[in-house]
Amino acid sequence: MKKKWTILTVAGLTAAMLTGCSTNAASHASTYFSQIKEVLYTATNSQRLIAEAEAAAETEEVDENALSKPANFTVDEEGNYSFDAVENAEYYYVYIYEDSSTKEATASLKVMEDGSSTYTGNVTDILAGSSEESGEGEQETTTLGYGAWSIRVAACPDYENTDYTASSEAKCEYLVTGEVDYGDPQFSAMWNIFDNELTISVTGMNCSTTAYPTDIILTLTNTEDSSDVVTIDITDIDDDSAEGVTTEAQADATYEISAEFVWDANYVTNPEYTVEGGSAETSSTDNLLTGEFYYVDDIYYSFGFPHVQLNFDPEEGGQAGIWYKDPSEATTNGMGVTTDEADEDADKNCYFEATPKDAENGALYSYDIVITSPAGKIYATPYTSSGQGTTIIWGTMDIFEDGTFSMELEYQYILTDTISSQVYYIPGTICYGSYTTNSDGTLNLSYDHTNSSETDYDVVTELTGKAAEYAEENPDFEQVFSNPFFSE
């Protein structure tokens, strides 16, 4: 399987400048390293030799067998590096580190000794070198995100030559700076009456190839009372979307949203940006959503029920809610679906469809629930393996006279691993909520994710309930579960 390349793609407005070679990088050197999603490890043997040399330096012991540190190591403003050859070296490793104190390299390049007196290259060579060593093959031209990086080089002997050990590292600090593309930030909101929380989601930023903001300062102003102003400072930003939460908003109000985006001016040349627009409504009776709001709760590792369904017809049934699947989330993070990577426009959301039936359990109305997704399979962690979901989930819903309702999803067997005997399944779960009645008789359903739990179910290794009935009526359904490495 081809790994996802996580070093950032080149941004046309990037400008880099050298601040001098030093063993101590600036204290803010790691500000933007959080945007690097995956560490690319270097060759094991060479890394061990380097670690031994560093350990000796930390204990102030001098390794008499160590090769000389590469002399005249420089990195210019374009990322071009140069260093002198070292006697008895077999090869060199040039590294990119998060900062001067980091022990694990972000990227590395092995440079073989060829008799030259000086060796030169560019930081993009180091990134490409790590890609090739990890088996990635040909990659796009890549560069680093804005920030301070530690570039290092060490000389290594022939590993079979025990007379010498690796040299200590020569180090340079390398700054990458430039403009950020602000993108087109959009705001959506979710009001939760169970916790009196207003959550604002910011999406549409375009920072992943440059630098993420250090702060997004949201200002919410009550449209009926200008003295009612709520401020949310979002500081945990490592993606092109971010969320902020407040409990200071009043119920039954509408707030206009403005946002100030702030970047670290040490690296970003256009570090301030303000956006006006967007609104958020609150209520004393209903959960409310704006837009296709995606909200991650921590129930069952983000096993997702809907949040709100407006204008539900209790007589006819129909859509009882949607679980919005964030396309940036992995399939093992919540109730969502996986599709072919090329099908980026596929609808990955999960739709809850209610079909009326005779009232049960003392309810005014009862329904059979079927959950499907246009994009394909549905997953619910941690009970299903990656790639082994189902195309349908079944359940029931009851609406009671006291203004409450419940939705219960059936336990559903998926398959059994013939090697480990691990049983993969979707757990039985229940979610409660409340509703209000509109003038036309329709209902606004508000799901309470904080009042959810697993039901009492038995883990079995055969299809049961609605899944078994459906499989009997649709013989092809069992093929959903088939896999050459698994059997029922």
Side-chain angles (χ1 to χ4, degrees):
M1 179 180 292
K2 183 176 181 181
K3 291 184 178 179
K4 181 180 179 182
W5 178 246
T6 55
I7 302 297
L8 311 176
T9 55
V10 172
L13 296 175
T14 302
M17 59 183 178
L18 178 67
T19 60
C21 296
S22 170
T23 57
N24 295 307
S27 61
H28 51 239
S30 62
T31 303
Y32 298 115
F33 189 66
S34 61
Q35 64 193 323
I36 304 298
K37 308 290 187 185
E38 179 181 331
V39 175
L40 301 176
Y41 293 96
T42 59
T44 302
N45 185 62
S46 296
Q47 191 72 347
R48 177 183 60 78
L49 295 173
I50 300 302
E52 291 175 353
E54 289 181 343
E58 290 175 358
T59 57
E60 298 183 354
E61 295 180 0
V62 177
D63 184 353
E64 296 181 352
N65 295 323
L67 297 177
S68 299
K69 180 192 301 185
N72 298 318
F73 180 42
T74 61
V75 182
D76 69 17
E77 62 182 13
E78 301 298 329
N80 299 307
Y81 64 81
S82 175
F83 59 88
D84 291 347
V86 173
E87 186 178 1
N88 295 315
E90 178 74 10
Y91 56 94
Y92 306 87
Y93 258 102
V94 190
Y95 302 93
I96 299 175
Y97 284 80
E98 171 188 357
D99 56 34
S100 62
S101 63
T102 303
K103 299 296 184 182
E104 293 179 344
T106 299
S108 65
L109 175 66
K110 186 176 184 179
V111 179
M112 297 303 298
E113 171 68 41
D114 61 6
S116 301
S117 59
T118 302
Y119 293 86
T120 60
N122 189 275
V123 292
T124 56
D125 301 331
I126 308 174
L127 300 176
S130 282
S131 173
E132 292 172 2
E133 288 190 5
S134 64
E136 300 260 348
E138 295 184 3
Q139 298 290 328
E140 298 178 10
T141 302
T142 57
T143 190
L144 300 169
Y146 297 167
W149 300 86
S150 180
I151 313 299
R152 311 181 195 178
V153 61
C156 299
D158 183 342
Y159 72 93
E160 293 182 349
N161 188 339
T162 58
D163 293 336
Y164 301 102
T165 59
S167 73
S168 57
E169 295 174 328
K171 304 178 182 180
C172 281
E173 184 186 75
Y174 176 64
L175 293 187
V176 182
T177 68
E179 292 186 346
V180 293
D181 180 351
Y182 297 131
D184 184 22
Q186 304 291 320
F187 307 105
S188 56
M190 184 185 76
W191 169 251
N192 182 350
I193 62 171
F194 304 106
D195 302 314
N196 290 320
E197 285 185 345
L198 180 61
T199 303
I200 306 297
S201 175
V202 185
T203 58
M205 296 182 289
N206 188 26
C207 309
S208 60
T209 60
T210 52
Y212 295 112
T214 57
D215 295 82
I216 301 176
I217 303 171
L218 302 174
T219 301
L220 283 59
T221 305
N222 190 324
T223 58
E224 300 296 328
D225 179 5
S226 59
S227 65
D228 178 17
V229 178
V230 178
T231 301
I232 305 173
D233 188 358
I234 305 175
T235 58
D236 184 13
I237 308 164
D238 61 0
D239 203 341
D240 283 335
S241 62
E243 291 180 359
V245 181
T246 181
T247 57
E248 297 180 4
Q250 298 181 21
D252 300 314
T254 299
Y255 290 88
E256 295 295 333
I257 304 172
S258 65
E260 179 185 1
F261 295 77
V262 181
W263 283 265
D264 191 327
N266 289 295
Y267 309 130
V268 176
T269 57
N270 54 338
E272 296 180 359
Y273 178 58
T274 300
V275 175
E276 303 285 343
S279 63
E281 294 186 9
T282 63
S283 170
S284 56
T285 58
D286 295 316
N287 288 337
L288 297 174
L289 292 176
T290 62
E292 293 190 355
F293 190 98
Y294 175 77
Y295 174 76
V296 177
D297 57 61
D298 57 5
I299 304 298
Y300 321 121
Y301 295 78
S302 299
F303 185 91
F305 287 93
H307 288 281
V308 176
Q309 177 61 47
L310 302 179
N311 305 314
F312 176 76
D313 189 331
E315 298 287 347
E316 300 295 330
Q319 184 172 288
I322 303 174
W323 170 250
Y324 291 105
K325 175 68 175 81
D326 185 344
S328 69
E329 294 291 325
T331 60
T332 55
N333 184 18
M335 183 173 175
V337 296
T338 293
T339 60
D340 190 300
E341 292 182 0
D343 193 7
E344 296 179 356
D345 296 328
D347 185 352
K348 302 175 178 63
N349 301 320
C350 298
Y351 295 84
F352 292 61
E353 188 73 15
T355 301
K357 64 179 181 179
D358 292 340
E360 300 173 343
N361 307 314
L364 282 176
Y365 305 97
S366 295
Y367 311 85
D368 285 323
I369 297 294
V370 175
I371 307 167
T372 58
S373 174
K377 290 184 180 180
I378 305 173
Y379 300 85
T381 58
Y383 304 101
T384 64
S385 65
S386 177
Q388 301 301 326
T390 178
T391 54
I392 308 176
I393 295 176
W394 286 272
T396 59
M397 183 171 72
D398 293 318
I399 294 178
F400 300 96
E401 188 174 6
D402 63 358
T404 65
F405 71 92
S406 64
M407 179 180 288
E408 184 171 353
L409 305 185
E410 289 186 359
Y411 168 88
Q412 189 168 320
Y413 170 69
I414 302 297
L415 51 80
T416 301
D417 186 330
T418 56
I419 298 176
S420 67
S421 297
Q422 171 67 52
V423 179
Y424 294 106
Y425 60 91
I426 291 175
T429 54
I430 190 168
C431 182
Y432 298 92
S434 64
Y435 67 88
T436 57
T437 304
N438 301 315
S439 59
D440 62 357
T442 60
L443 309 180
N444 295 335
L445 307 178
S446 295
Y447 293 79
D448 181 5
H449 285 219
T450 64
N451 191 11
S452 302
S453 62
E454 291 190 21
T455 56
D456 184 14
Y457 57 86
D458 295 323
V459 177
V460 298
T461 57
E462 61 183 1
L463 295 181
T464 57
K466 293 292 184 181
E469 294 176 11
Y470 186 86
E472 184 176 356
E473 296 173 359
N474 300 271
D476 291 339
F477 178 68
E478 289 187 311
Q479 295 179 9
V480 172
F481 306 134
S482 64
N483 185 292
F485 300 104
F486 294 90
S487 65
E488 294 184 9

